[in-house]
Amino acid sequence: MAASSFKKKVTSKTNYPRGTRPSFHNSSLLLSTGVPSLDALLGGGVAVGTVLLVEEDTFSSYSRLLLKYFMAEGVMCGHELYLASLIEDTQELLKDLPSPLEDLTEQKDPPLQTPSVLESQSEKDESMRIAWRYQHKPQVESSFSTRFGHFYDLTQTMDKNRLANIATHHYTVAQDCSSSYMDLFKSATQTIDNGKFLINSQITGQSGQRNVLRMTFQSLGTPLWGDKSSLQGFTPKEDSISLFLHKLRALLRRSYAVAMVTMPTHLIQDEGFKKQLQRFCDGVIGLESFAGSDKEKNPLYREYHGLFHLIKVPAVNSLVPPQPETRDLAFKLKRKKFTIEKLHLPPELSETVSRTQEDPVISRKQLHNLDF
């Protein structure tokens, strides 16, 4: 009897870099931003080889917080960090990173109760909170969440021993530099080449596993970078932020690196130039803080700290990006975490306003005084 040439097909296990996973939408490699709600809105995370633009709020407080989440997640995953900023010292960004919640089971559990007691309590609570006509309708979840990445506590800072094991690269402006953005691009290119983050680079060592480079650029487009095009609306050929983003996007497409760029777009006067910068990035999100505005005292937004604008979702290896359920989003900063939720407005009438249920009665004297 002749031997059969049939061979069982065995799927080989792909060795992905640490802290990454393939996307369910387009099979692209994803990593977490450190904010689970933001990962869910972006389709599961940020794709490797893309540029994420964060349009800063007025005081740049919440955009700076997103950078810290992004770097803290890189530290927990063992990724290398690249920091570039002229607003503040890059060492200051690494000092107060949020502490991870590694063991959630250490928290005190509530006392055990029987299922019957829990059901009766939940029915009473629902009947008190929800009107009778809405009790049988499905509940809508206002928050977005995913199990990808880690969770962090803003009330505590990360241990310094974790940062000691992470390779960090800091951008410093050269003294004889006449072109800030081109010098920044040369520094980023040199870091990617020396770290062997390019796709076609040979990996040497005992582990043989690739690593990912997380790049953070804080407050690009400000006058500190020596670029007046962001304020006046024209783009010079030699050195401009638009040319830098175009080159950076092409560089990251062939490397294991991700860039998060924050930019004060509210300072840009030309809307057409702003749209051009958004086209040069793969994903664009905007933060509109209520601090210092009329919306801060508006009772409609009393539960939130600002509006979250999902301007552009990355579309990698596909023509159509993943679409969220809604784009009416808002963010809030709690004591321990930053979260993005669906924007729910309160009822039109407040709790103190009382309405009369009786219809007005017109007397006979009022009928004689009516003019037709």
Side-chain angles (χ1 to χ4, degrees), residues 179 181-182 235-240 243-244 247:
S179 176
Y181 289 117
M182 291 300 101
T235 55
K237 296 182 179 180
E238 293 82 7
D239 182 28
S240 64
L243 183 60
F244 168 76
K247 289 186 175 182

Side-chain angles (χ1 to χ4, degrees), residues 106-117:
E106 295 181 358
Q107 300 178 359
K108 296 182 179 180
D109 298 330
L112 298 177
Q113 294 180 350
T114 59
S116 59
V117 176

Side-chain angles (χ1 to χ4, degrees), residues 339-360:
T339 181
I340 304 171
E341 299 179 355
K342 297 179 183 178
L343 179 61
H344 293 289
L345 298 180
E348 183 179 1
L349 297 177
S350 61
E351 299 177 356
T352 58
V353 177
S354 60
R355 299 178 58 184
T356 58
Q357 300 295 333
E358 298 180 356
D359 297 332

Side-chain angles (χ1 to χ4, degrees), residues 196-323:
K196 296 182 178 181
F197 293 104
L198 294 175
I199 297 178
N200 55 1
S201 61
Q202 297 292 334
I203 302 300
T204 58
Q206 299 179 356
S207 62
Q209 186 179 10
R210 289 187 176 273
N211 200 0
V212 179
L213 176 65
R214 290 177 179 249
M215 312 183 74
T216 58
F217 302 91
Q218 186 183 18
S219 298
L220 293 185
T222 57
L224 293 176
W225 292 92
D227 183 16
K228 299 181 180 180
S229 61
S230 60
L231 300 179
Q232 300 178 2
F234 61 88
T235 55
K237 296 182 179 180
E238 293 82 7
D239 182 28
S240 64
I241 186 174
S242 57
L243 183 60
F244 168 76
L245 292 177
H246 181 67
K247 289 186 175 182
L248 179 64
R249 186 180 182 183
L251 176 63
L252 297 185
R253 276 293 191 273
R254 51 190 177 91
S255 61
Y256 287 90
V258 178
M260 178 178 284
V261 180
T262 65
M263 188 183 305
T265 55
H266 57 274
L267 300 178
I268 301 178
Q269 302 176 1
D270 190 359
E271 291 294 331
F273 181 67
K274 184 188 300 185
K275 295 293 183 182
Q276 182 185 14
L277 296 178
Q278 294 176 357
R279 287 194 298 268
F280 287 145
C281 300
D282 299 285
V284 182
I285 60 176
L287 301 175
E288 181 184 350
S289 175
F290 294 156
S293 63
D294 297 336
K295 296 180 181 179
E296 184 179 8
K297 300 179 180 180
N298 194 334
L300 298 177
Y301 305 106
R302 60 183 178 183
E303 297 181 359
Y304 307 103
H305 293 89
L307 298 178
F308 183 86
H309 303 287
L310 188 61
I311 302 173
K312 184 179 179 181
V313 181
V316 183
N317 300 333
S318 62
L319 297 177
V320 181
Q323 298 295 330

